[in-house]
């Protein structure tokens, strides 16, 4: 396993529409998911999409277990939202690709998902709360969308400027 570098805005790769995994989940995909999970725990974050480490495949890892609770890694390959509630909910989001920026985003409160798990089995699952927020945030990444794209242009531009500036200082 290896920790990979997480891309940050305005890296144009983050705008990529990721491609479905074809022909089932292989050991190479599982090795990628292992690296993604290690990278996510190291960051730390509660979710990570493959494109955030520069791999344009429709793969997500997540762990929304409370701090200090046992780890509960989850893996989503080719996830689809098959139903979304009309009811919306606003949640303060952050993103490892937009470090230290937090703002409210409104999304469906509940969704029904279909995806392949770590072993390639088809799973259908209902999501609400942080799980629903996180999977929709990650699935946006698969479409090349970052949470700041849901904000006003003023807030988005300000966020990108702050990230660039912080990285100039780090470098
Ligand atoms: O670690 C993360 N926390 C988070 C908090 C609220 C809503 C979404 C997220 S996802 C984020 C990790 C990340 O950037 N995933 O793409
Ligand atoms: Ni993100």
């Amino acid at each position: 396993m290896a920790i990979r570098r997480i891309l940050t805005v305005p890296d144009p790769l983050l705008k990529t529409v990721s491609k479905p995994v074809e022909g089932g989940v292989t050991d190479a995909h599982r090795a990628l998911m292992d690296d993604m999970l290690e990278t996510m725990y190291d960051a730390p974050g509660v979710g990570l999409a493959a494109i955030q480490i520069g791999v344009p495949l429709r793969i997500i890892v997540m762990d929304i277990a409370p701090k200090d609770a046992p780890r509960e890694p989850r893996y989503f390959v080719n996830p689809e939202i098959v139903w979304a509630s009309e009811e919306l909910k606003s949640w303060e989001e952050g993103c490892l690709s937009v470090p230290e920026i937090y703002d409210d985003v409104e999304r469906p409160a509940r969704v029904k998902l279909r995806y392949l798990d770590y072993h390639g089995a088809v799973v259908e699952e209902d999501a609400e709360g942080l799980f629903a927020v996180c999977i929709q945030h990650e699935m946006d990444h698969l479409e090349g969308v970052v949470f700041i794209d849901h904000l006003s242009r003023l807030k988005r531009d300000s966020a990108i400027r702050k990230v660039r500036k912080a990285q100039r200082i780090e470098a």
Side-chain angles (χ1 to χ4, degrees):
M1 298 224 286
I3 294 169
R4 314 262 203 114
R5 191 171 65 83
I6 296 175
L7 307 179
T8 53
V9 291
D11 192 313
L13 271 176
L14 289 169
K15 297 217 183 277
T16 311
V17 178
S18 292
K19 294 217 155 50
V21 169
E22 308 276 11
V25 177
T26 65
D27 286 345
H29 296 120
R30 281 184 279 272
L32 170 63
M33 290 191 272
D34 293 347
D35 281 1
M36 288 171 61
L37 198 73
E38 192 179 1
T39 302
M40 183 194 82
Y41 284 136
D42 176 70
V46 297
L48 193 75
I51 194 61
Q52 292 180 277
I53 59 166
V55 178
L57 287 173
R58 302 183 80 84
I59 298 177
I60 290 163
V61 298
M62 190 185 301
D63 189 335
I64 53 168
K67 257 190 174 195
D68 310 322
R71 285 182 171 182
E72 281 179 42
R74 297 163 180 252
Y75 309 88
F76 305 85
V77 176
N78 298 345
E80 297 168 67
I81 289 175
V82 297
W83 174 83
S85 64
E86 301 220 354
E87 184 198 336
L88 304 178
K89 190 168 164 65
S90 181
W91 200 288
E92 186 178 72
E93 299 194 16
C95 182
L96 295 172
S97 295
V98 197
E100 311 203 6
I101 305 290
Y102 303 89
D103 213 330
D104 291 344
V105 178
E106 194 170 61
R107 304 182 185 272
R110 291 178 306 283
V111 293
K112 189 180 287 288
L113 304 170
R114 184 177 302 139
Y115 60 92
L116 304 179
D117 69 11
Y118 192 80
H119 302 288
V122 178
V123 179
E124 282 197 1
E125 195 174 13
D126 294 327
E128 61 177 17
L130 177 59
F131 182 23
V133 171
C134 194
I135 194 68
Q136 292 178 83
H137 172 116
E138 302 312 335
M139 287 180 68
D140 269 357
H141 280 299
L142 306 185
E143 300 303 320
V145 173
V146 179
F147 87 97
I148 56 172
D149 296 330
H150 293 288
L151 307 178
S152 68
R153 194 177 65 165
L154 189 72
K155 285 187 169 185
R156 181 165 56 252
D157 290 350
S158 152
I160 292 168
R161 261 198 312 278
K162 282 181 183 158
V163 171
R164 292 190 99 120
K165 182 173 179 190
Q167 286 179 344
R168 268 203 315 277
I169 291 164
E170 274 172 39

